[in-house]
Amino acid sequence: TQLLEQSPQFLSIQEGENLTVYCNSSSVFSSLQWYRQEPGEGPVLLVTVVTGGEVKKLKRLTFQFGDARKDSSLHITAAQPGDTGLYLCAGTNAGGTSYGKLTFGQGTILTVHP
Amino acid sequence: DTEVTQTPKHLVMGMTNKKSLKCEQHMGHRAMYWYKQKAKKPPELMFVYSYEKLSINESVPSRFSPECPNSSLLNLHLHALQPEDSALYLCASSRRGDNQPQHFGDGTRLSIL
């Protein structure tokens, strides 16, 4: 069974601070996806990283996929109250019996105070 | 606005009731999913449909019965649920193929009395 360890579980910071969320596994994933979920809504895809060592930027968010494709990180610069939400990392594996399954991390609840 | 539409948004039912949750997408996706999510936890996969055929059942109790009438619709029929089944039920869809992202609906908030 593949597991994704996501940390920290909870993060409460002031507006303007930087933060990093980590997802780690002992297993290799063919891709890592990051989602954000706000209360009363479903998860919304932020990014998919596929290549080991890949770095993607989305405005103030920077996503990195580890060289060995076993870990990923999400870095937010100058956090804003609108960044508040549940952040989920999810790994995929190509083909086989696990096709279509996302392995989710435990989630990080981020609260950004004005 | 989400491209995956789920109805109803909220549902309260007794343990002896029968109800159905509905999910619809018009993105041409041929993989569709049901998830159960408890508060502040990640979604837990229940079922996966691929080309309208059930391909994964994560050992879900038989009181949950999925149905995929066509490539755009996914239903989840509920019968004799237990209080611990109260949760947010999410539907998602994706293209077939490796590493495809999933598009989630906003869910149905289910409460069992």
Side-chain angles (χ1 to χ4, degrees):
Chain A
T1 304
Q2 293 184 305
L3 292 174
L4 264 176
E5 298 289 333
Q6 186 173 343
S7 63
Q9 270 193 281
F10 301 94
L11 204 46
S12 180
I13 61 173
Q14 294 297 125
E15 183 175 2
E17 293 183 15
N18 302 333
L19 66 112
T20 303
V21 179
Y22 300 93
C23 266
N24 296 293
S25 176
S26 57
S27 305
V28 175
F29 289 96
S30 57
S31 80
L32 237 295
Q33 301 173 9
W34 285 90
Y35 293 84
R36 181 171 71 205
Q37 184 175 19
E38 299 186 33
E41 299 181 5
V44 175
L45 179 74
L46 296 173
V47 77
T48 300
V49 285
V50 177
T51 306
E54 184 175 5
V55 177
K56 281 191 174 179
K57 294 194 175 186
L58 184 67
K59 296 183 181 178
R60 294 176 293 101
L61 279 60
T62 302
F63 304 86
Q64 189 162 3
F65 202 13
D67 291 341
R69 292 186 291 137
K70 293 182 179 182
D71 56 270
S72 182
S73 64
L74 157 61
H75 182 79
I76 301 180
T77 303
Q80 299 177 359
D83 296 326
T84 294
L86 172 66
Y87 288 79
L88 296 159
C89 64
T92 66
N93 269 302
T97 57
S98 62
Y99 181 84
K101 292 181 69 168
L102 290 177
T103 299
F104 281 97
Q106 299 97 319
T108 296
I109 298 172
L110 172 65
T111 304
V112 182
H113 301 281
Chain B
D1 287 339
T2 182
E3 296 174 37
V4 176
T5 304
Q6 290 188 244
T7 56
K9 286 189 72 68
H10 302 276
L11 179 62
V12 179
M13 56 187 287
M15 289 190 283
T16 58
N17 292 157
K18 285 185 182 182
K19 296 286 185 182
S20 296
L21 309 185
K22 297 186 184 301
C23 174
E24 189 168 3
Q25 57 89 14
H26 294 288
M27 294 178 283
H29 292 169
R30 302 307 295 272
M32 296 186 76
Y33 313 79
W34 279 117
Y35 289 88
K36 174 183 177 181
Q37 186 180 28
K38 291 284 198 179
K40 301 182 181 179
K41 297 294 185 183
E44 299 171 30
L45 183 66
M46 300 173 72
F47 304 103
V48 180
Y49 272 83
S50 177
Y51 289 102
E52 296 87 70
K53 292 195 184 327
L54 184 65
S55 62
I56 297 178
N57 176 343
E58 292 287 271
S59 302
V60 179
S62 60
R63 57 186 184 268
F64 295 91
S65 176
E67 178 196 21
C68 191
N70 60 54
S71 60
S72 299
L73 293 174
L74 188 64
N75 298 321
L76 186 63
H77 303 296
L78 314 173
H79 173 55
L81 296 193
Q82 304 297 308
E84 61 265 27
D85 297 321
S86 297
L88 181 69
Y89 288 84
L90 292 164
C91 172
S93 70
S94 73
R95 297 184 187 281
R96 285 272 302 176
D98 297 337
N99 307 325
Q100 294 297 323
Q102 294 186 15
H103 297 253
F104 287 83
D106 285 338
T108 293
R109 175 73 59 190
L110 177 64
S111 298
I112 307 300
L113 301 179

